[in-house]
Amino acid sequence: ELTLDGPTNTRQIAESELQGGSSARANAEITSTTGFTFRFFVTGTGELKLDFEADTFLRAAIGNDGTFENGNAQANMNASFSLTQDTTGDAITWAPQGSAGNDCTVDAGLAGAGVVCNETSDSQDLNRNLSVSSNPSDAQYSTAAGFTLFGIDITGLTSGAWTFALNSVTSTSVRRVPEPGILALLGIGLIGIGA
């Protein structure tokens, strides 16, 4: 949501827990597409700066469960941003990885026209997947710093219509798989019922 009265906040949580049965799953998705038009009458070029703060926490765990024989627990988060020129369909995409390199990419058509995208802040990975399969096990991704800044600076935008999109998906899943011996007994039982 774009507002003129200060910052906008959103929270996204997906959590699943397996206490019985064989699987559990949770999914949370926030998607936003906003269209806006840049018109430049003097220089014909423009600049877009995107800055936001995020505090990420991701965990996949299997507790010390005496009934757990085989399976896995997963937690995933994926966030990406795109700015597309409506006339040509060329785009600038950014998926923050928390790396020292520039995770912002510009399609060849826009790069040839002089569009440049640079990360200004990217200290956490907003595209991470965790998985554990042993009992007990616990994998977490977090930063002790709390909220940290993310940002990109896109220069050289030409006049015309552009579409900005954010896609963010968080999901978890827990799966318990029966041991092969249990499956064999189940199969024998079904054969007996069939006979």
Side-chain angles (χ1 to χ4, degrees):
E1 179 181 6
L2 298 177
T3 62
L4 300 176
D5 58 352
T8 301
N9 296 296
T10 184
R11 292 175 188 236
Q12 184 171 333
I13 299 170
E15 181 177 340
S16 58
E17 180 179 355
L18 182 63
Q19 293 187 357
S22 62
S23 66
R25 169 170 242 131
N27 186 63
E29 183 171 356
I30 297 174
T31 59
S32 173
T33 303
T34 303
F36 51 96
T37 302
F38 288 84
R39 302 257 186 239
F40 302 97
F41 301 103
V42 178
T43 62
T45 59
E47 177 179 11
L48 173 69
K49 290 185 178 188
L50 172 66
D51 296 302
F52 67 94
E53 291 183 328
D55 182 12
T56 61
F57 178 75
L58 194 63
R59 181 180 185 193
I62 299 173
N64 195 6
D65 181 356
T67 64
F68 186 88
E69 299 286 341
N70 188 16
N72 65 4
Q74 294 180 335
N76 311 292
M77 85 179 134
N78 300 288
S80 62
F81 303 84
S82 65
L83 180 64
T84 306
Q85 186 181 48
D86 291 353
T87 306
T88 65
D90 291 328
I92 300 131
T93 56
W94 181 44
Q97 304 288 327
S99 61
N102 186 8
D103 298 320
C104 195
T105 58
V106 180
D107 283 351
L110 292 175
V115 175
V116 176
C117 180
N118 288 306
E119 280 184 329
T120 56
S121 301
D122 177 13
S123 59
Q124 295 184 42
D125 188 353
L126 297 183
N127 292 275
R128 174 141 329 216
N129 304 308
L130 297 178
S131 180
V132 294
S133 58
S134 60
N135 182 22
S137 57
D138 193 340
Q140 297 182 28
Y141 174 71
S142 180
T143 59
F147 281 94
T148 58
L149 186 64
F150 293 83
I152 54 174
D153 185 10
I154 304 171
T155 58
L157 296 175
T158 58
S159 59
W162 296 79
T163 300
F164 176 78
L166 156 68
N167 184 47
S168 178
V169 178
T170 305
S171 65
T172 64
S173 67
V174 184
R175 186 172 57 104
R176 181 180 292 163
V177 180
E179 283 295 302
I182 294 171
L183 292 175
L185 288 174
L186 179 62
I188 291 170
L190 290 174
I191 291 170
I193 290 172

